[in-house]
Amino acid sequence: MVARTSFEQTTASIEPWYTGNIAPGISDHYLVTPLEEDVCFIDVSTQNVAFRIEGDGEPITAVAITPDGQWAAIASQSQQLRIVNVEAQQVTHTHRLGSPVYIATADARSSLFALGGSDGVVTVWDIAGGYVTHSLKGHGTTVSSVRFNNGDATHFLLASGDIMGTIKVWDLVKRKAIHTLNEHTAAVRGLGFVEDSRRSQSSYALISGGRDDVVILYNQSYRAAKVIPMSESVESCGFFDYDDEPCFYTGGNSAQLKVWSVSSLAVLAQTAKPLETSEELVIIDVFEVDDALVTTLSDQTIIYYDRRSLLPQLTLAGNHGIIADCKPVGDNLVLATNSPSVRIVRADAPLQVEFLQGHTDLVNGVDVSPSGQWMVTGGKDGVAIVWHLGDDGHWALHSSYSGHSGSVSSVAIARVDPPQFIITAGADLTIKKWKITKGENSTAIYTRRAHDKEINAVDISPNDEHLATASYDKTAKIWDIDSGETRGVLRGHRRGLWDIAFSPYAPQVATASGDKTAKVWSLQTFGCVQTLEGHTNSVQRVAWLNPESPQVVSTGADGLVKVWSSGEEVATLDGHDNRIWALAVTADAVASIITGDADGKIVVWHDVTDEMLKQQQEAEKQRVEDIQRLDRLVASNEMGEAFLLALTLGHSMKLYHVITQMEDDEQLAAVIESLDQDQLVSVLKRARDWNTNFRHFEAAQRVVAVVLRRPVAELHAVPAAMKIIDALVPYNQRHLARVDDMIEASYVLDYCVEEMA
């Protein structure tokens, strides 16, 4: 029975790639997203982070990418503008702006960037020339939106809006504002021109939307022709064709993308209305990419919609926020995060996400049946929901359970398939057992007041006979699952408990506590059999691993994952920078540990113990064979090859004995002459070590004497060698002084012998 001691972080791990409320840059090929001080470039086709541009120490305030995906603009709070060559993956130009920039865009020809500053100046950057072509002054406050038209060199316009509701239309050829529009009473966030190819057939030239909850259509003379109440703050709008009919789209704080008829002003299509929850979702921008309309939401979710049906085609999650719980289901991962939606992440497309809507407040926990066909979630809304995986591969809401007077803090589902019941623990300090029945349920099989403080975790034994609870009152309890009666109380932790887990392999449970320890308890005596000490902060989660020799896995607020065997720490996995709230262990052919932290980072660790043991055995076999070969070379007086083999193996004393058995220094010189610089330095290091010992210094002196025969210029070309030679000098002086003392003593001895004669 081999303990699992080696784990390797895999490429299936997921890290945040989009943070903040800054709209990304989107082209056909790339997404450009801010990540704190850095910027990530996401290859849409492969859904991988292609590369990353490191920041300048200040938060990113605006990003944009050209439609052809060749160039990107990055602005930060430091007022620095950086232009990135995407193909070369490097910054080609930097420019100091006059103020922080919070909005940026590129023109349709991929030749210009426009950036709106907080000082009211709109800066236009020529990409090919690498310089500022325009500094357009006229806004008296922060610019909140900018948009190019798609005209040619004779009709090149730029519209800009500010937070006071003023819009200016600039003629870039004439380098001046040709229209100033003051129809809005709040920040202008959406702007769009009618395409030049359709101007002759359209009654309108410009559209604008703002936080005053209106959209305005302007005629060819740039006068307000229609003012349309929206009943929501508008963050993005623009003209486009829908089923060959002139239309415009809007997106705002309803988190719905809507398509409107220009002629009738009726809504022709709209995306599904999100479930009303405690989370305030807002569409912060909308992009047109190929045959898709792409929305960016305030929770850093990017959704690609088919522009005809407005059905979602692709949903990407820039980050998952705080990951409170996670469970593997087949090749996918179910997440409970600081969001009312349950998230399903695909292993083969880790940036994609599927949302399950049912809770109206944050999801606190999730549990999955052994078959992976059933799942239960519990939320801050005081509701538990059972989900079923259909034949189409999608989860559907099966039933809901409400009865707790506060939030549902933890949930568990029966371990015997098909599951017949669930267990919930609430902030009201009770546990409830529910029969799984389709529809809405409000009557539990039983309710028990379980603890004196918050219940942080519940778990069900593999045979569905027992229930375990862990509480912040410093105790854990074992319950009979049929009767709901207490079978045992586990006392011993000095602080509140965060987690509890039944062992699938033995009559034991493991607990995690804020006292920085995990403990293993016997279900027969309800006594502590092991205390696992090693974390430097609270232990947040525990799980079991390895059916052959049961082991405990723990995660902590110190950001570390620890693996324990027989009460001893056998591995520490360091892949997180923040508190690890979520832990799951798979029981596949190759075991995996899955961890999720407060930064939204998910790490998958694969067990590579068998591979490491095999490598160690092969390495040991090779070492034995090399030592035997070395002994044969020495026995056959092939000292040159023996010298090189001993040096390669790193056997210091074997190398020493080879040198002492060499007949003369010429033989030694011939070998040392053939060494490269790295090998020479290695030999000198051995000589330095031997030189500290009076019994071995003669071999060291032989090596140094041979090395010093080399030309001085050649030795100076190896700085490391010169440093080692310098380090030899003090010991050489000590050895010479000892020899001098011995010679003097021999003179005294000779004198005494002569006198005695």
Side-chain angles (χ1 to χ4, degrees):
M1 295 184 291
V2 179
R4 318 319 289 176
T5 58
S6 299
F7 295 84
E8 189 175 79
Q9 186 172 336
T10 71
T11 56
S13 301
I14 304 171
E15 295 191 50
W17 47 271
Y18 180 18
T19 56
N21 287 320
I22 306 301
I26 299 181
S27 72
D28 293 350
H29 306 291
Y30 288 100
L31 295 174
V32 183
T33 58
L35 181 65
E36 305 297 344
E37 301 169 1
D38 301 337
V39 173
C40 294
F41 286 75
I42 312 301
D43 188 319
V44 178
S45 61
T46 63
Q47 294 185 33
N48 288 315
V49 178
F51 65 99
R52 188 165 161 171
I53 297 294
E54 293 188 0
D56 57 8
E58 294 288 340
I60 301 300
T61 56
V63 295
I65 188 170
T66 55
D68 63 8
Q70 296 299 306
W71 298 92
I74 302 171
S76 69
Q77 193 66 42
S78 66
Q79 301 174 214
Q80 184 184 58
L81 169 66
R82 288 176 291 166
I83 305 299
V84 178
N85 183 317
V86 177
E87 184 177 1
Q89 301 184 5
Q90 64 182 14
V91 176
T92 58
H93 295 87
T94 59
H95 176 72
R96 175 78 175 181
L97 297 164
S99 69
V101 163
Y102 297 106
I103 197 75
T105 190
D107 73 320
R109 298 184 300 175
S110 300
S111 61
L112 299 174
F113 285 118
L115 307 104
S118 59
D119 59 357
V121 175
V122 178
T123 302
V124 180
W125 178 272
D126 184 286
I127 297 173
Y131 59 85
V132 173
T133 63
H134 301 73
S135 289
L136 306 175
K137 300 176 181 178
H139 289 285
T141 185
T142 302
V143 178
S144 54
S145 57
V146 286
R147 189 74 67 196
F148 286 100
N149 76 336
N150 62 344
D152 55 27
T154 62
H155 186 246
F156 214 172
L157 304 180
L158 173 69
S160 58
D162 63 33
I163 61 174
M164 299 303 293
T166 300
I167 298 172
K168 288 186 176 291
V169 180
W170 309 85
D171 187 319
L172 297 182
V173 178
K174 296 179 180 179
R175 311 177 73 85
K176 66 177 184 179
I178 57 175
H179 299 287
T180 298
L181 314 174
N182 294 296
E183 305 297 334
H184 286 280
T185 59
V188 179
R189 292 290 293 129
L191 287 170
F193 286 97
V194 170
E195 289 190 17
D196 271 24
S197 61
R198 290 190 173 274
R199 285 194 68 196
S200 60
Q201 297 119 21
S202 176
S203 302
Y204 306 106
L206 181 71
I207 184 174
S208 66
R211 290 179 177 170
D212 53 3
D213 299 358
V214 298
V215 165
I216 302 175
L217 301 179
Y218 301 86
N219 62 24
Q220 298 288 347
S221 300
Y222 290 94
R223 295 184 182 277
K226 292 183 179 180
V227 179
I228 311 160
M230 288 286 115
S231 70
E232 67 170 320
S233 173
V234 178
E235 296 294 313
S236 184
C237 61
F239 290 109
F240 90 119
D241 289 341
Y242 181 77
D243 285 341
D244 295 326
E245 179 181 348
C247 298
F248 64 90
Y249 62 80
T250 61
N253 61 4
S254 69
Q256 280 184 284
L257 176 62
K258 299 178 181 179
V259 176
W260 305 73
S261 167
V262 168
S263 57
S264 67
L265 300 183
V267 176
L268 301 180
Q270 59 185 331
T271 58
K273 184 178 181 180
L275 183 69
E276 290 188 12
T277 68
S278 61
E279 184 179 34
E280 295 184 5
L281 280 181
V282 178
I283 292 178
I284 60 176
D285 212 342
V286 180
F287 301 85
E288 292 185 64
V289 178
D290 288 337
D291 291 330
L293 286 176
V294 185
T295 62
T296 302
L297 297 175
S298 53
D299 65 350
Q300 296 82 47
T301 300
I302 298 172
I303 306 176
Y304 285 71
Y305 292 98
D306 181 271
R307 66 183 297 155
R308 294 176 181 84
S309 65
L310 285 194
L311 294 175
Q313 304 297 308
L314 175 66
T315 303
L316 305 176
N319 74 78
H320 296 292
I322 298 173
I323 299 175
D325 203 357
C326 69
K327 291 292 186 294
V329 180
D331 293 331
N332 299 335
L333 191 63
V334 181
L335 304 178
T337 69
N338 58 335
S339 164
S341 298
V342 181
R343 299 186 174 207
I344 311 293
V345 178
R346 291 172 48 186
D348 60 342
L351 302 191
Q352 287 190 40
V353 66
E354 177 187 351
F355 294 103
L356 304 182
Q357 294 188 347
H359 289 282
T360 59
D361 210 330
L362 307 186
V363 180
N364 289 326
V366 59
D367 196 22
V368 178
S369 68
S371 67
Q373 300 293 310
W374 296 86
M375 173 172 65
V376 61
T377 57
K380 197 174 178 181
D381 55 5
V383 176
I385 296 177
V386 171
W387 310 81
H388 183 246
L389 184 63
D391 295 335
D392 60 356
H394 294 287
W395 292 92
L397 194 155
H398 176 272
S399 50
S400 62
Y401 307 82
S402 56
H404 287 283
S405 60
S407 67
V408 176
S409 55
S410 186
V411 290
I413 194 166
R415 302 302 183 224
V416 177
D417 275 317
Q420 300 298 312
F421 64 89
I422 61 170
I423 301 292
T424 60
D428 55 6
L429 311 184
T430 66
I431 57 173
K432 293 177 182 288
K433 180 180 179 181
W434 308 82
K435 182 179 180 181
I436 296 179
T437 306
K438 195 170 181 61
E440 297 181 1
N441 298 272
S442 59
T443 303
I445 296 174
Y446 60 71
T447 300
R448 299 287 183 269
R449 180 180 172 87
H451 290 274
D452 296 327
K453 290 186 178 181
E454 294 91 339
I455 304 170
N456 290 322
V458 295
D459 194 24
I460 297 174
S461 63
N463 59 5
D464 281 354
E465 290 185 2
H466 294 95
L467 163 68
T469 58
S471 168
Y472 216 63
D473 64 5
K474 305 179 186 178
T475 68
K477 293 183 180 180
I478 308 300
W479 308 75
D480 182 276
I481 211 158
D482 290 330
S483 65
E485 299 301 320
T486 305
R487 288 288 177 253
V489 180
L490 312 181
R491 295 186 174 90
H493 281 291
R494 299 186 303 277
R495 291 195 177 181
L497 275 65
W498 285 107
D499 197 19
I500 190 165
F502 279 100
S503 169
Y505 320 117
Q508 295 177 327
V509 293
T511 55
S513 170
D515 62 9
K516 306 179 186 178
T517 70
K519 289 180 182 288
V520 177
W521 308 79
S522 168
L523 290 178
Q524 297 168 335
T525 64
F526 302 112
C528 177
V529 295
Q530 291 174 3
T531 298
L532 313 178
E533 298 179 289
H535 285 281
T536 59
N537 209 326
S538 297
V539 182
Q540 302 296 145
R541 293 287 181 265
V542 286
W544 290 85
L545 176 75
N546 191 5
E548 295 181 355
S549 178
Q551 296 175 250
V552 173
V553 182
S554 62
T555 66
D558 53 10
L560 298 177
V561 183
K562 291 184 180 288
V563 182
W564 310 82
S565 179
S566 301
E568 299 295 326
E569 180 184 331
V570 295
T572 296
L573 314 178
D574 187 0
H576 294 274
D577 298 322
N578 208 333
R579 184 186 298 263
I580 302 175
W581 283 110
L583 169 66
V585 175
T586 67
D588 300 330
V590 178
S592 297
I593 298 173
I594 304 168
T595 52
D597 66 21
D599 290 332
K601 182 178 181 180
I602 301 168
V603 179
V604 180
W605 312 85
H606 276 181
D607 178 13
V608 293
T609 304
D610 293 338
E611 290 87 338
M612 293 298 295
L613 288 175
K614 185 177 179 180
Q615 291 177 12
Q616 292 172 4
Q617 292 170 355
E618 291 176 350
E620 178 62 20
K621 179 182 177 182
Q622 185 63 45
R623 188 187 70 83
V624 172
E625 291 176 353
D626 287 338
I627 290 176
Q628 292 174 346
R629 178 168 169 250
L630 177 60
D631 292 338
R632 290 195 299 270
L633 290 173
V634 172
S636 60
N637 201 31
E638 298 178 60
M639 294 303 179
E641 289 190 39
F643 181 100
L644 293 174
L645 181 56
L647 181 64
T648 302
L649 294 175
H651 285 276
S652 179
M653 293 313 298
K654 289 282 186 181
L655 182 62
Y656 169 80
H657 289 304
V658 169
I659 292 173
T660 57
Q661 294 182 51
M662 285 188 171
E663 298 176 355
D664 53 46
D665 289 346
E666 294 306 320
Q667 187 180 14
L668 178 61
V671 177
I672 291 180
E673 186 67 30
S674 66
L675 301 180
D676 60 29
Q677 290 189 1
D678 291 339
Q679 290 174 322
L680 177 63
V681 171
S682 181
V683 169
L684 285 173
K685 286 181 179 178
R686 299 291 185 272
R688 178 194 60 195
D689 296 339
W690 299 333
N691 203 44
T692 60
N693 191 314
F694 184 69
R695 292 185 302 169
H696 304 145
F697 88 98
E698 290 184 7
Q701 294 302 312
R702 287 184 66 187
V703 170
V704 174
V706 169
V707 170
L708 291 178
R709 293 182 189 179
R710 294 191 173 195
V712 175
E714 186 177 332
L715 290 175
H716 275 291
V718 190
M722 295 305 300
K723 289 181 181 179
I724 296 172
I725 291 173
D726 290 340
L728 288 165
V729 173
Y731 283 98
N732 283 358
Q733 292 174 339
R734 186 182 302 175
H735 294 319
L736 290 174
R738 187 181 291 111
V739 171
D740 288 341
D741 291 344
M742 184 176 64
I743 292 174
E744 290 182 9
S746 68
Y747 289 155
V748 174
L749 179 61
D750 290 343
Y751 173 77
C752 291
V753 170
E754 290 180 2
E755 289 299 315
M756 291 172 62

